[in-house]
Amino acid sequence: MRPRPNPLRTVTWRQLLRAHATGFLEWLDSTNKRFELFDRLAAALEILLLDHVLAGGAEISAAQTSAHFAKVLPRVLVKCDEPIYDEPFVAEAYAFIHLLERYRRFSKVLDVLLIAGALPMRDSGIDVLDVGVGPGPALYATSDFYDLLNQYAEAHGIAGLKTPPPKLHSVESSLQMVRVMYWISHLSGRSGPSDRELADFFGIDFERLRSERQDAVITAFCQEDITWDTLSEIGRAH
């Protein structure tokens, strides 16, 4: 027989989210926890730029580095859809301009989904795929939002609202942008995201991937003691 979902959750996700959305958002405002996470991300970006990008070195001075960085800022604004991010300073300039604002905007999107009872939820934790991840604002916002939701559930004894942290997946063609994301994760004390799953989708055999996943799940169902969480992990891995 198929294992049941979390027994501590006795209503649908939609009902549970709608019941606690207002309380959760008020708790965020009263505790400043959202600002603390935003500030941690901003501090990591500041350290990356001042200590690692603009500091200069043996072959180039800090003044020269800063001048080169300033020159690429307009390119990031007018050519953001072009493959320019592996050129010197461009990925870092993009993060300087867009990371924090897009983090804030995506956090607001999650607020709206929560209020509507449409926030993606799963007893075994959700998977998040960001295509063209850039420096990771949407993944950081998602990770922080679900972490705060778990903190709220813990503080208020709402066991059915707690889930494992989201698994973060990224597709990004620029290796330098991936490096920027790695350093921001590292400097802000995060476990991830720190790498890309794929550079692009060229050459990926999705039919084969679906077939392998189906075979793994069917095999797992044949085991009498298989749990729902284990099935979920198998499905995610294939």
Side-chain angles (χ1 to χ4, degrees):
M1 185 172 66
R2 191 172 187 144
R4 295 183 61 188
N6 181 359
L8 298 175
R9 182 171 59 84
T10 58
V11 297
T12 67
W13 281 120
R14 187 180 185 86
Q15 291 170 325
L16 189 63
L17 292 174
R18 283 183 162 180
H20 296 288
T22 300
F24 171 66
L25 295 175
E26 290 176 350
W27 176 79
L28 288 183
D29 290 339
S30 65
T31 60
N32 283 326
K33 288 185 176 292
R34 173 174 279 173
F35 174 78
E36 291 171 5
L37 292 175
F38 181 89
D39 189 56
R40 184 176 71 169
L41 189 65
L45 178 62
E46 181 180 27
I47 294 170
L48 172 66
L49 294 176
L50 295 182
D51 295 352
H52 297 274
V53 178
L54 304 178
E59 299 181 357
I60 184 172
S61 69
Q64 291 172 316
T65 302
S66 299
H68 286 306
F69 180 81
K71 286 180 180 179
V72 304
L73 291 174
R75 294 193 66 207
V76 169
L77 292 172
V78 300
K79 297 186 176 182
C80 60
D81 292 330
E82 299 182 17
I84 61 175
Y85 296 104
D86 285 324
E87 299 175 16
F89 302 109
V90 175
E92 295 86 349
Y94 184 94
F96 172 72
I97 292 174
H98 292 302
L99 175 64
L100 298 177
E101 172 59 16
R102 294 190 176 181
Y103 173 95
R104 184 193 67 81
R105 284 161 55 185
F106 200 79
S107 296
K108 289 298 183 183
V109 170
L110 296 172
D111 286 354
V112 172
L113 290 174
L114 174 69
I115 293 169
L119 184 74
M121 299 292 287
R122 190 181 189 183
D123 290 316
S124 55
I126 67 168
D127 285 83
V128 182
L129 174 64
D130 191 352
V131 179
V133 65
L139 293 183
Y140 292 131
T142 301
S143 177
D144 287 348
F145 192 89
Y146 282 85
D147 178 51
L148 290 169
L149 192 60
N150 278 341
Q151 289 184 41
Y152 175 78
E154 180 73 26
H156 294 80
I158 312 169
L161 192 58
K162 292 184 64 177
T163 62
K167 289 191 174 182
L168 308 177
H169 310 279
S170 61
V171 176
E172 173 56 55
S173 61
S174 167
L175 185 57
Q176 187 57 30
M177 193 69 84
V178 174
R179 292 193 180 106
V180 169
M181 183 173 63
Y182 164 82
W183 275 108
I184 291 173
S185 295
H186 174 71
L187 293 169
S188 60
R190 299 168 183 269
S191 59
S194 58
D195 202 354
R196 62 187 177 189
E197 304 283 325
L198 297 169
D200 53 51
F201 293 115
F202 294 110
I204 302 299
D205 187 342
F206 289 101
E207 283 296 327
R208 179 180 60 80
L209 292 177
R210 279 192 290 267
S211 178
E212 290 178 352
R213 177 179 179 180
Q214 184 179 34
D215 290 345
V217 172
I218 291 173
T219 301
F221 264 121
C222 295
Q223 303 176 31
E224 294 184 358
D225 58 346
I226 194 72
T227 66
W228 179 256
D229 286 345
T230 302
L231 280 173
S232 175
E233 291 302 319
I234 292 171
R236 287 167 156 182
H238 289 270

